[in-house]
Amino acid sequence: MDSKDDKRDVSCSSPVCVHNPHLDALKDDILYHFSLGTATHDLPAMFGDVKYVCVGGSPWRMKSFTEFIAAELGMENPKSEYPNICAGTDRYAMYRVGPVLSVSHGMGIPSIAIMLHELIKLLHHAQCKDVTIIRIGTSGGIGLEPGTVVVTKQSVDATFLPKFEQVILGKPVVRNTDLDQSLAEELLQCSKELNQFETVIGNTMCTLDFYEGQARLDGAFCSYSEKDKQDYLNKASEAGVCNIEMESSVFASMCKLSGLRAAVVCVTLLDRLKGDQLKSSHEVLHSFQQRPQKLVGYFIKKQLKAKAILN
């Protein structure tokens, strides 16, 4: 196999690392999909004191998280609509309250990868320090009760290997998908303190597709049997996979390259061993989707309280 691990040094002069010497030649780095730029916006003034970045699929969910964390931190403003910082584009949405930035990333690896390239550059240009980034979302569980929250230990591919592979200049490049284990343990401890729902640490399988790539039987095409599906999902479970989603591998690899402390926190909406389609009521699913928000909100509030005591 021609692929090899990307072994570039993650050390750099900025607390949030970029690995692109060509950026130094740009008079204006245009973050096109955010409708922001270094010449048109004062990024250090706008984002320099950001300490926590939470990302998730839908703009609605990330605005909801912003409203939630504002209330948790006592920063809510009844008159504020929390304007979308990226209102000049329809690709992504971005909201901010205090030290917390909330950004949508769409669905799937290509969409979140584009967002992360520009987000990492934004944090770099803004001279942010000691940033923690957490993906919050939904997933399909394997052998877990629906509503269980999974904090990812490692993101694995559809063959259960902990790697993210991308073709660059016609050659496959393989990158590591480890996440910050101390952060995962902190989040698990926060869930125990909350004591509102079950939370586990386990591997997350990241796929390129929602249907056949996740062994569903209900897509437009399917070339395998129910038994084939069950055999595959059981092998995934034996490999330590607790849930399945579509963004964690590139998220883990890009955060690791940039030196960002990162975690993935997803709730399971169903047990894929028992079916493929969501049958829970809208109210139940909505309550499930709030669980990662509650856990991450509790974590951020606890962190800020501890820092305030130290200061």
Side-chain angles (χ1 to χ4, degrees), residues 77-269:
N77 182 350
K79 296 181 181 180
S80 176
E81 291 294 324
Y82 302 106
N84 177 11
I85 298 169
C86 299
T89 175
D90 61 356
R91 293 298 181 186
Y92 304 107
M94 180 185 294
Y95 305 95
R96 175 163 182 200
V97 59
V100 184
L101 192 65
S102 178
V103 190
S104 70
H105 58 60
M107 183 180 290
I109 286 173
S111 185
I112 192 173
I114 294 168
M115 187 281 289
L116 285 171
H117 271 283
E118 298 189 13
L119 175 64
I120 290 166
K121 291 198 297 175
L122 183 153
L123 297 173
H124 172 80
H125 291 313
Q127 302 169 26
C128 295
K129 300 178 181 178
D130 303 318
V131 176
T132 297
I133 180 169
I134 303 176
R135 164 167 145 68
I136 56 177
T138 59
S139 62
I142 300 180
L144 297 176
E145 192 69 24
T148 302
V149 172
V150 178
V151 179
T152 302
K153 179 180 180 181
Q154 280 185 320
S155 175
V156 301
D157 64 14
T159 65
F160 320 135
L161 294 177
K163 63 184 179 69
F164 170 64
E165 183 173 330
Q166 182 176 10
V167 176
I168 301 175
L169 299 180
K171 300 177 181 179
V173 174
V174 176
R175 290 174 175 161
N176 185 282
T177 58
D178 287 342
L179 289 153
D180 190 296
Q181 295 307 299
S182 64
L183 178 55
E185 292 292 343
E186 287 177 44
L187 288 161
L188 183 63
Q189 178 59 34
C190 284
S191 181
K192 292 177 180 177
E193 294 170 13
L194 267 175
N195 195 30
Q196 294 182 11
F197 43 79
E198 182 72 18
T199 300
V200 300
I201 293 178
N203 292 342
T204 296
M205 184 164 71
C206 183
T207 67
L208 302 177
D209 168 56
F210 184 81
Y211 286 98
E212 291 177 291
Q214 296 188 11
R216 277 184 160 84
L217 301 173
D218 59 343
F221 312 103
C222 183
S223 59
Y224 44 85
S225 67
E226 168 74 27
K227 182 179 182 304
D228 294 334
K229 167 199 164 178
Q230 293 293 333
D231 288 346
Y232 177 70
L233 293 181
N234 280 316
K235 287 179 182 177
S237 181
E238 291 168 5
V241 174
C242 289
N243 63 333
I244 309 171
E245 47 86 92
M246 295 169 57
E247 293 86 21
S248 60
S249 63
V250 71
F251 174 84
S253 66
M254 291 182 72
C255 289
K256 188 174 180 68
L257 277 174
S258 62
L260 286 166
R261 193 174 188 228
V264 177
V265 180
C266 290
V267 67
T268 62
L269 299 183

Side-chain angles (χ1 to χ4, degrees), residues 19-32:
H19 300 276
N20 185 356
H22 305 292
L23 293 180
D24 294 335
L26 295 177
K27 293 182 179 179
D28 178 17
D29 187 4
I30 300 171
L31 309 179
Y32 173 72

